[in-house]
Amino acid sequence: MYKTLKDLTNQAEKLNMTVGAFNMHNLEMLPGMIRGAKELGAPIVIQTSVDTAKYIGYSVIVAVVKQLANELMVDVALHLDHARDFDAIKDAIDAGYSSIMFDGSNLPFKENIAKTKLVVEYAHTRGVSVEGELGTIGGTEEGISVSEEDKVYTRAEDAVVFVRETEVDALAVGIGTNHGQFKSKTDVQVPLLKEIHSVVDVPLVIHGGTGVKEEDYPELINNGIRKFNVGTELLVNWTQEAKECFAETAVNKSLRHNIIPANEKVKEIVKHKIALFMNLGEKSNLE
């Protein structure tokens, strides 16, 4: 079923798990991602960048996600990731996206609050969830680069004010992760996450999830992470598989024979990550 991010994180909070949020880069990736979630009986967030949404078409993505969610009986939220342009946010909401992220992390604190609040007001009146960001995530995302020197960690006292003033449904926090990191792993600042989690009552979000050690997942989930973004790992593996297949195939062979293996690679990664995100070794809040 087609859901909002708030619907999914509310359920994740009750079950003490996190919802996997996976970036699609083309329509071919999409069915395998949702089928992977179905096979584990788990919800999923499908994410697109603004550029991907414009490339495919906002309304096309919405239609396909809704169809697959209903046909496969999977709870799916469709999320616009790292949007900074109000027009793009409006286009996504008007087309039917159920969740958006306004990324004001590059702005002064008060301006981030003011602009996030405007987005929340527009989205909430239309039944759409909003994720904000406080602090910055390192690395590069859709051409936006943050160096290690420019990385800003989220301060707990700022998070309290930001959440109170904006009324966001989820908060992306800067605790040491990096976009685009796949050749190495990050030492996330768990004590900082614990401090933030102790003073705010909204679901917290990890960006740059590919670079996070899997052995750190339980501690992150147990300290309020309710949405966990994975993008680079999917992109790298899809592209590697597709390159190998295309290199070996005849030029007149149907394209699907080269793309299906790449889609299957994405599906298996999604299943692997979701199985970890379900945090099966920990108690839920329903007990």
Side-chain angles (χ1 to χ4, degrees):
M1 278 58 72
Y2 196 59
K3 300 285 188 176
T4 67
L5 177 61
K6 187 173 183 179
D7 292 331
L8 300 190
T9 55
N10 282 345
Q11 186 67 6
E13 177 65 28
K14 292 176 183 177
L15 297 176
N16 190 31
M17 58 176 281
T18 195
V19 181
F22 301 95
N23 286 77
M24 58 173 277
H25 295 268
N26 54 32
L27 274 179
E28 285 80 11
M29 280 185 173
L30 182 57
M33 294 163 75
I34 297 179
R35 287 175 183 139
K38 175 185 174 63
E39 290 180 14
L40 292 177
I44 187 172
V45 178
I46 299 297
Q47 300 191 146
T48 75
S49 66
V50 172
D51 287 348
T52 296
K54 289 179 178 179
Y55 162 64
I56 299 172
Y58 291 96
S59 59
V60 173
I61 297 171
V62 170
V64 176
V65 170
K66 283 185 174 180
Q67 175 64 28
L68 288 169
N70 291 328
E71 179 183 310
L72 297 175
M73 294 182 63
V74 179
D75 286 343
V76 185
L78 178 58
H79 180 79
L80 186 69
D81 198 29
H82 285 287
R84 293 182 171 179
D85 179 68
F86 281 7
D87 289 336
I89 289 169
K90 185 177 183 297
D91 287 344
I93 293 173
D94 293 350
Y97 273 61
S98 64
S99 175
I100 64 99
M101 176 197 182
F102 174 68
D103 181 359
S105 61
N106 63 316
L107 303 173
F109 181 58
K110 290 182 180 179
E111 187 177 354
N112 189 1
I113 288 176
K115 289 187 174 179
T116 302
K117 190 172 182 178
L118 288 174
V119 172
V120 169
E121 289 172 354
Y122 186 85
H124 279 184
T125 58
R126 291 158 178 80
V128 174
S129 299
V130 177
E131 174 186 331
E133 181 173 330
L134 192 59
T136 56
I137 316 300
T140 301
E141 177 85 357
E142 292 293 325
I144 299 172
S145 181
V146 177
S147 68
E148 194 66 27
E149 295 75 23
D150 294 330
K151 189 188 298 184
V152 177
Y153 289 86
T154 305
R155 300 197 315 166
E157 57 267 37
D158 290 342
V160 171
V161 176
F162 185 87
V163 169
R164 182 185 69 227
E165 295 299 320
T166 63
E167 298 183 354
V168 290
D169 301 295
L171 179 66
V173 291
I175 59 171
T177 56
N178 299 291
H179 288 126
Q181 181 178 358
F182 67 96
K183 293 182 179 179
S184 62
K185 297 298 179 181
T186 300
D187 291 321
V188 291
Q189 302 298 311
V190 175
L192 176 57
L193 175 63
K194 289 181 178 180
E195 184 183 0
I196 297 167
H197 180 48
S198 71
V199 293
V200 298
D201 59 358
V202 297
L204 302 177
V205 181
I206 284 286
H207 283 243
T210 295
V212 176
K213 301 170 189 173
E214 291 185 348
E215 57 264 35
D216 288 339
Y217 289 5
E219 193 164 21
L220 296 174
I221 296 168
N222 293 337
N223 286 285
I225 296 299
R226 297 291 172 244
K227 175 174 176 277
F228 201 115
N229 290 13
V230 178
T232 301
E233 188 170 351
L234 303 180
L235 178 61
V236 168
N237 280 274
W238 193 96
T239 303
Q240 286 178 338
E241 188 69 25
K243 285 179 68 176
E244 291 175 8
C245 290
F246 275 102
E248 297 173 357
T249 191
V251 293
N252 62 341
K253 189 175 183 179
S254 174
L255 287 174
R256 71 178 181 276
H257 296 295
N258 300 313
I259 293 175
I260 287 174
N263 296 339
E264 284 298 311
K265 181 73 72 173
V266 165
K267 178 184 173 184
E268 290 309 308
I269 293 170
V270 167
K271 287 178 63 178
H272 172 73
K273 293 295 184 182
I274 287 178
L276 297 175
F277 293 158
M278 292 174 77
N279 205 24
L280 298 177
E282 299 293 333
K283 292 183 177 180
S284 76
N285 294 328
L286 297 176
E287 297 178 3

